[in-house]
Amino acid sequence: MSAHRHSTDCHDGARSVSRPLNFSLKWFEEVLSTSDVARELAKSGAAEGTVVVAGRQSAGRGRFSSPWFSPEGGLYFTLVLRPEIPAGQSHLLAVAAGLAVADAIELAIGASPQLKWPNDIYLSGKKVAGVLTETELSDQRVRLALVGIGVNVERPDSGVPDHLQGSAVWLSELGAASPTELLTGVLGSFVVWYQRLKCGDFAAMVESYNRRGLLVGRHVEVKSANQVVAGRCRGVNAQCALVIEQARGFTTAIAEGEVCSWS
Ligand code: BTN
């Protein structure tokens, strides 16, 4: 695949800040984890837009150090970004990535994915893709972000681990898509969401996120800072924090946490 060039211009009246996002793809047949390779490349100065893609991963990892099943036939890549956004907005990188993956899947197979806060992508009530973002901060700015994305594309003939039976889905079960086609779609859409994020235009992200929100209107239990908050999910607020309505209409916004159950 050839490199793509997209503008991430921010138009602010007469002022225009131009930072082109040049994608430069580095493809590997097998790696331990594309995020590890991306980190090494970033340490040696790899530019924003470097994309490390692998045909399979032998030690793919997900959030909370869980393993990420990465056989041949899936899409596994990590994007190197140097966004310079405030540290408090770093979680929005994963939101932008989740929206881009959902857009690309919808374009490829016509089905409409949902987003489970904070950044799991679901189809037919099962997880089809995930995002793992690792950041390096200094002076309260995000200097480096490694946005790792894994998508279940071809269900492997050799079978899937027991813990994924019933909770994961592969695109091949619902339509026909190739990892390469999907990668092109994700990168094309990510450019747009990333531009909005960098320009501080969060409204479209929030609207799109809530439109795809798997948890909206459901009863949820969310673990955050060693406590569990339970209540009805009212979607995400302007900062993409999860809004939970507890008893007597009292609401709490959770910026970081993990949904332990929903019904
Ligand atoms: C999750 O849902 O827990 C996040 C999964 C992220 C998996 C991707 S695959 C490409 C990149 N390399 C990794 O080792 N992990 C991410």
Side-chain angles (χ1 to χ4, degrees):
M1 188 190 285
S2 60
H4 302 260
R5 188 187 175 90
H6 299 273
S7 165
T8 53
D9 289 4
C10 225
H11 295 285
D12 172 15
R15 204 172 64 95
S16 169
V17 185
S18 179
R19 282 265 325 262
L21 185 55
N22 293 320
F23 289 128
S24 160
L25 269 59
K26 313 241 176 271
W27 194 87
F28 298 85
E29 205 167 294
E30 178 174 326
V31 296
L32 290 167
S33 159
T34 55
S35 291
D36 293 344
V37 176
R39 180 175 300 281
E40 285 309 309
L41 291 174
K43 266 197 222 157
S44 340
E48 165 156 281
T50 301
V51 185
V52 178
V53 196
R56 52 184 188 272
Q57 301 181 115
S58 52
R61 51 195 161 77
R63 295 176 72 225
F64 307 112
S65 308
S66 57
W68 184 259
F69 181 55
S70 311
E72 188 138 9
L75 174 61
Y76 318 106
F77 70 98
T78 299
L79 184 52
V80 176
L81 298 172
R82 300 186 183 275
E84 303 289 332
I85 55 174
Q89 293 173 5
S90 61
H91 65 290
L92 296 176
L93 291 164
V95 170
L99 288 167
V101 172
D103 289 345
I105 289 176
E106 190 158 338
L107 194 70
I109 67 163
S112 198
Q114 290 187 291
L115 296 170
K116 177 180 152 263
W117 187 88
N119 41 49
D120 290 341
I121 298 94
Y122 272 63
L123 262 180
S124 312
K126 296 177 184 177
K127 184 162 168 174
V128 69
V131 180
L132 174 72
T133 306
E134 296 165 337
T135 52
E136 280 181 16
L137 314 175
S138 70
D139 297 329
Q140 289 303 306
R141 297 247 146 205
V142 182
R143 305 297 176 186
L144 171 69
L146 303 172
V147 179
I149 295 177
V151 186
N152 300 335
V153 184
E154 281 292 329
R155 190 183 171 99
D157 293 337
S158 48
V160 301
D162 285 350
H163 73 276
L164 295 179
Q165 299 279 1
S167 65
V169 68
W170 280 259
L171 293 181
S172 60
E173 297 174 285
L174 297 150
S178 77
T180 317
E181 172 196 12
L182 215 57
L183 175 61
T184 309
V186 176
L187 294 179
S189 177
F190 183 79
V191 165
V192 178
W193 291 116
Y194 187 53
Q195 180 183 25
R196 289 180 176 145
L197 163 49
K198 290 194 65 170
C199 295
D201 176 10
F202 307 138
M205 296 176 79
V206 169
E207 188 277 326
S208 200
Y209 195 96
N210 279 330
R211 197 165 38 79
R212 292 195 183 277
L214 175 75
L215 304 173
V216 179
R218 301 208 195 194
H219 185 271
V220 296
E221 288 184 337
V222 186
K223 196 169 169 205
S224 169
N226 287 331
Q227 60 164 10
V228 174
V229 179
R232 186 112 359 234
C233 175
R234 295 298 176 209
V236 295
N237 65 12
Q239 289 76 41
C240 277
L242 194 69
V243 178
I244 311 288
E245 187 179 325
Q246 294 172 286
R248 296 181 297 279
F250 175 77
T251 61
T252 310
I254 300 176
E256 266 179 56
E258 187 59 12
V259 178
C260 359
S261 74
W262 70 97
S263 54

